[in-house]
Amino acid sequence: MSRTLADELSDDAVILGAEAPDWRSAIRIAGDALTASGSTTDEYTAEMIRAVEELGPYIVIAPSIALAHSRPSPAVLKTGISWVSLAHPVEFGHAANDPVRLVVGLAAVDHDSHLTTMSNLAGVLSGDIDSLLEATNPEQLRALIRDNTQ
Amino acid sequence: MKIVAVCGMGIGTSVLLKMNAEKVLRTLGVDADVEAADIGVARGMARDAQIVLTSEEFASEIGDVPAQVIVIDNFFDLEEITTKLKAALPE
């Protein structure tokens, strides 16, 4: 069986109640968590920030939720995901979905390896994210995610 | 019917949009092929598509294509996707 979203989120990949003064800091924290969990190098974090500078805040895909990512590159060591809840909501400049309270960092080595995780993510984030944002430790978060993963 | 979901990188937001659009289309009983694409290849792919799904940022960049371009604000809101897709689908 393929790894589910909850399996992907090691303790290093989860930062809860992070303090970020602006969107760049928020993405950097998500990038640092990807690096800490062995998915990426620092260069990928810079690529994620550059993506928003060049393409706009389209990564804010739903109210309160940003999916920080770039594309497969040598800066991606393995496919992975990070989860950063913010202590204070942060403006990304999105017309409909600001401010952001949750930044999910995504790194993929190719176009297919992360599809199970993405499918889980779609299921989990379609529901009520308030309870997910109340998680105070990674184990509690993984349990909540498992409850919401079909 | 061919539908293209477009984002900046082709691995993140367009994949989520593709998955949720497929869910909606199954519910509506519509047979369609949904592909995810990054903005670099989207223009070419959109040429023979009937519908393009994307976010506000990319709608204008897709340019002049025969496909209907639909902007989705909340990628997880199946109701929004359903309403907008229904309006764009042929009777």
Side-chain angles (χ1 to χ4, degrees):
Chain A
M1 191 181 151
S2 28
R3 285 159 65 82
T4 64
L5 176 59
D7 301 326
E8 295 282 347
L9 286 171
S10 66
D11 286 1
D12 289 336
V14 177
I15 313 283
L16 301 173
E19 294 283 353
D22 54 39
W23 67 262
R24 281 187 181 80
S25 311
I27 293 181
R28 197 167 294 120
I29 295 166
D32 287 347
L34 283 171
T35 304
S37 54
S39 285
T40 60
T41 67
D42 285 339
E43 175 54 24
Y44 190 76
T45 305
E47 287 175 14
M48 293 197 296
I49 292 172
R50 210 150 50 228
V52 175
E53 287 169 349
E54 287 169 9
L55 300 168
Y58 78 98
I59 61 166
V60 188
I61 49 176
S64 305
I65 304 171
L67 181 67
H69 64 292
S70 181
R71 60 181 76 239
S73 80
V76 181
L77 307 175
K78 65 179 172 76
T79 294
I81 208 158
S82 67
W83 181 287
V84 177
S85 67
L86 299 171
H88 307 288
V90 172
E91 300 282 336
F92 274 57
H94 193 280
N97 297 330
D98 261 350
V100 169
R101 294 188 294 156
L102 170 65
V103 182
V104 175
L106 168 70
V109 291
D110 55 33
H111 282 79
D112 308 309
S113 60
H114 61 306
L115 294 182
T116 304
T117 306
M118 294 298 276
S119 172
N120 289 163
L121 193 63
V124 169
L125 297 181
S126 299
D128 168 29
I129 68 157
D130 286 342
S131 62
L132 295 168
L133 288 171
E134 280 165 20
T136 52
N137 63 66
E139 191 46 52
Q140 193 187 0
L141 175 69
R142 283 190 289 266
L144 287 167
I145 289 174
R146 277 196 195 95
D147 288 346
N148 286 293
T149 304
Q150 283 98 12
Chain B
M1 150 125 16
K2 183 175 160 188
I3 299 177
V4 184
V6 177
C7 77
M9 302 296 171
I11 65 151
T13 53
S14 59
V15 171
L16 288 174
L17 195 51
K18 168 184 150 77
M19 287 173 172
N20 281 340
E22 283 171 341
K23 255 183 233 169
V24 166
L25 291 163
R26 266 198 303 275
T27 310
L28 293 175
V30 175
D31 185 28
D33 176 30
V34 188
E35 288 180 50
D38 67 66
I39 186 70
V41 300
R43 259 174 236 116
M45 285 175 72
R47 247 175 246 139
D48 61 340
Q50 281 73 54
I51 295 174
V52 173
L53 293 170
T54 192
S55 53
E56 184 72 49
E57 280 80 4
F58 301 117
S60 57
E61 287 192 41
I62 288 162
D64 194 16
V65 289
Q68 284 197 64
V69 179
I70 304 178
V71 172
I72 302 293
D73 290 324
N74 180 346
F75 283 30
F76 297 123
D77 184 351
L78 297 184
E79 273 180 42
E80 178 187 349
I81 299 174
T82 303
T83 308
K84 290 181 176 175
L85 266 181
K86 257 188 177 169
L89 288 168
E91 292 297 318

